[in-house]
Structures are given as structure tokens and as C-alpha cells.
Amino acid sequence: MFKSFVACASFVALLCFAAKAFSAPVIEVSIPNPYGFVRPNKVAPSEAENPPLKHVVLIQDIHADYEAQSNVAHILEHLIKNYGLSLVLVEGAWGDASISFMRLGISADIRKQVADEYLKQGIIHGEEYLDMVSDYEFQLWGMEDPELYLKNTEALFEVETLKQHYFPELKRLQEELLNKLSQELNADLFDFMQWQRRYNQHEIDFTAYMEQVLNSTQRLSLDVERYPMIQLYMQKLELPPTDQRAVYLDQKQLIQDLQSELSAQDVGLIKNWILELKGKTISFDQFSSHLNQLLSVYAYDASKYTHWHAYLTWNALQENLDLAELLAECDHLSDEVLISLTQSSEEKTLLEQQKHADLLVALLQLKWSPEDY
């Protein structure tokens, strides 16, 4: 068995591992639906002709977010139990970064209580939480270059010094400009600008903001057909919430009904998939996908199994939804809304001034994205 390892990086958790001796050259990694979803595999060009010894799983997450980091812990636990994961590479450290020593002499209940509070406060991340509360044998190892990391820390302190001098004045100018905008922008434009600012400052989530964008788009009769990811997102919104138990019961009934519809060979194939599902060598998503592909061969209409059919539709939409492209399209559509709501060159100038002021404040708060640069 090859050594397994996982790496967690800033804003993006990078999971790399060489798993047990799997028969396929590229492992089809699966994770439980509530904790995230999996993008397709890609083979590195240098290993295209040879089975790779290591596999990389990239987990996009949000730091200091309780739900996101809880999901990271669940994903890591799943990889440990099902793929033999044993080493986790972490940011912000070099060398041995394990905190499993905190397990010694402390009950599991107390460890979980303390770790949960630390996770809520953003003191620890998902991998550290799992290291504290579980009894799994895995290691956290820091992957930073100490010299570069310390230089980056020094730069952070320099920014903090600048922030103390300039931030109060910038905030004052920002508030004065905002007050001027409230008086000189038309009401619809100011209202939408406020929604956009609240979203950019993480005061509201993407779902709430996107609702406002789509409402404004509809009122202004703007064309969203040029935004394929937004259209997929809108289709997802139209689907009813997934009831996992109802999905399972639908699928169970479907399998029973298929006994008399399929050949003995294909019935046997389904039974083998059921064994693989119970043995956790395939996920529920993979099992459902296999079953759906088999139904397509028979042109079998499974739409009457409404919960299962909705679940497959949701998965298909999710698989095709590129989150980075969705965010970019949301920004472009937001700009279209602002342009459509702007009634004069003076309003346009004021909006540009507010955007520059917000960028300066965000710069001192170290909140710039690559797009802001």
C-alpha cells in the first residue's frame, strides 16, 4: 500500500494522496453529499501514460467559517476511513504540526466540546478539529517555507502599522461619500448599490445577493441568456429541497420494479452495485449514476419516482455548475444592473468614487481578491 497524504492550503484545501492499490489508474474519489461535491478527475500530462502514484484532491473552502471547516473535517474523516489517508499537509507551519497530544488523558466529550468552541471562533481549522476529537492515526505536517513565511508575516505587520495611521481617515471619507450618495443617487440605484456593498463586505451571503440581482434583472428586462452558469443556478433554485430519505425510498422502489423489466444479467449487475455501495467502494451518487445509465439503455422512464428524479436532476446541474464562472457572471450581471439604473454622468462618477473608496478600505483590511488587483 502506498503512503497516503493530504495537503490543506490557504482558502483552498489541497488533498493529495496515493491510495491503496486501486485497480483503476485514476481514483474516482467520492464524498458524502452534505459536505461538498466532486469535480471531474484530471491527469497530469507527465503521468498520462503511466498510472500516477499520487492523487490530488482540491477542496475549495472558506477559512474561519464554522460550517465550511466542519465539512472539511467530515471530508477528511471520509478519506481516512475509505481511502487510507494518513498525512495532512497544512499551511502556516513547517514540520510536525499535529495536535494529537491534546487527546492524552482527556475524555472524548471534553475534547469535542473544546474543539467545537475553537472551531466556532476560527482558532483552529477542520483538520485540527479532527486531530483533537478523533482517535484516527494521521499526521499534520506544515508545508511552509519558514523564510518566506516570516517575510510575509513582517509584511503583514507593516500593513497593520499603515492601517493604524490611515484607516480611520479612510473610513471617515467613505462614510461621507456614502452619505452624499444617499442624497444624490436615484432611489433604485442607491438601493441596489447598498445590496452590492453588503455582499462585497460579506454581510449577506451569495444566495441573498443573487436574489436581489435576479429581481432587478427581471424588473429591468435584462437578458440572462448570455450567462450559462446563472441559468443553471436558476434551474437549481426551481427544484424542491432534496429529502434524502425520500430519495432512498424512491430508489429502493425503483429497483424492486426493475426486477421484471431488466435482463437477468443486468439485475445481477445492480446487485453487485448494491454490494459495492454497502462495502463503501462506491458512493450513493455513483450508484445512482450507474443505475441511471442502465435505465437509459432500456429507455426506461423513471420520472414517476419524483424524489429520485429530482435528486438526479440536481446532481446533473451541480456537476455542470462552475462556481468560479458563476461568481464572475454574477459580477458582470451586477454591473449591467448598475449601468441600467444609472441615469446621469454625475451618478456614474459618484459610483466610481465609492468603488475606489471601498477598494482602499479593503486593501488596508487585506481583503483584496485577484480581480481587485
Side-chain angles (χ1 to χ4, degrees), residues 301-321:
D301 183 11
S303 60
K304 66 179 181 179
Y305 306 93
T306 54
H307 295 284
W308 189 72
H309 189 262
Y311 161 79
L312 287 179
T313 304
W314 192 95
N315 276 4
L317 291 173
Q318 187 67 55
E319 185 176 336
N320 292 317
L321 190 64

Side-chain angles (χ1 to χ4, degrees), residues 165-176:
H165 284 89
Y166 297 110
F167 191 72
E169 182 65 15
L170 269 177
K171 286 293 291 182
R172 184 186 67 78
L173 291 173
Q174 186 187 42
E175 291 302 319
E176 286 184 3

Side-chain angles (χ1 to χ4, degrees), residues 102 109-119 124 132:
M102 298 184 72
D109 289 341
I110 293 177
R111 278 187 280 143
K112 187 171 182 179
Q113 181 180 349
V114 172
D116 194 62
E117 186 59 35
Y118 283 173
L119 196 65
I124 62 175
M132 281 184 64

Side-chain angles (χ1 to χ4, degrees), residues 140-202:
L140 303 182
W141 191 265
M143 62 179 181
E144 298 284 4
D145 179 312
E147 184 178 352
L148 290 177
Y149 186 81
L150 291 174
K151 284 182 178 179
N152 190 58
T153 303
E154 290 172 4
L156 175 63
F157 289 145
E158 289 177 11
V159 172
E160 282 297 317
T161 301
L162 291 172
K163 183 177 176 181
Q164 291 175 13
H165 284 89
Y166 297 110
F167 191 72
E169 182 65 15
L170 269 177
K171 286 293 291 182
R172 184 186 67 78
L173 291 173
Q174 186 187 42
E175 291 302 319
E176 286 184 3
L177 184 55
L178 188 60
N179 183 56
K180 185 176 181 180
L181 288 169
S182 68
Q183 298 173 19
E184 300 192 19
L185 295 185
N186 69 76
D188 289 338
L189 177 58
F190 181 75
D191 183 60
F192 185 80
M193 184 209 70
Q194 286 287 73
W195 279 105
Q196 188 181 56
R197 291 185 74 247
R198 290 178 64 197
Y199 169 66
N200 290 333
Q201 294 171 7
H202 309 290

Side-chain angles (χ1 to χ4, degrees), residues 19 28 119 130 176 261 273 324 328 351 372:
E28 188 175 352
L119 196 65
L130 188 64
E176 286 184 3
E261 300 286 340
W273 292 337
L351 284 177
D372 293 329

Side-chain angles (χ1 to χ4, degrees), residues 230-284:
I230 289 179
Q231 291 188 68
L232 284 178
Y233 176 81
M234 292 169 65
Q235 291 177 44
K236 279 187 62 181
L237 291 180
E238 293 173 358
L239 293 175
T242 301
D243 183 333
Q244 288 296 121
R245 176 164 175 76
V247 171
Y248 170 76
L249 293 175
D250 260 7
Q251 183 167 268
K252 184 178 179 181
Q253 184 61 52
L254 170 61
I255 292 171
Q256 290 178 357
D257 295 344
L258 288 175
Q259 301 294 319
S260 59
E261 300 286 340
L262 307 185
S263 67
Q265 181 180 355
D266 286 336
V267 170
L269 189 60
I270 292 176
K271 290 179 179 178
N272 285 335
W273 292 337
I274 292 173
L275 291 176
E276 290 178 346
L277 178 62
K278 290 181 177 179
K280 297 184 178 180
T281 56
I282 64 172
S283 67
F284 186 82

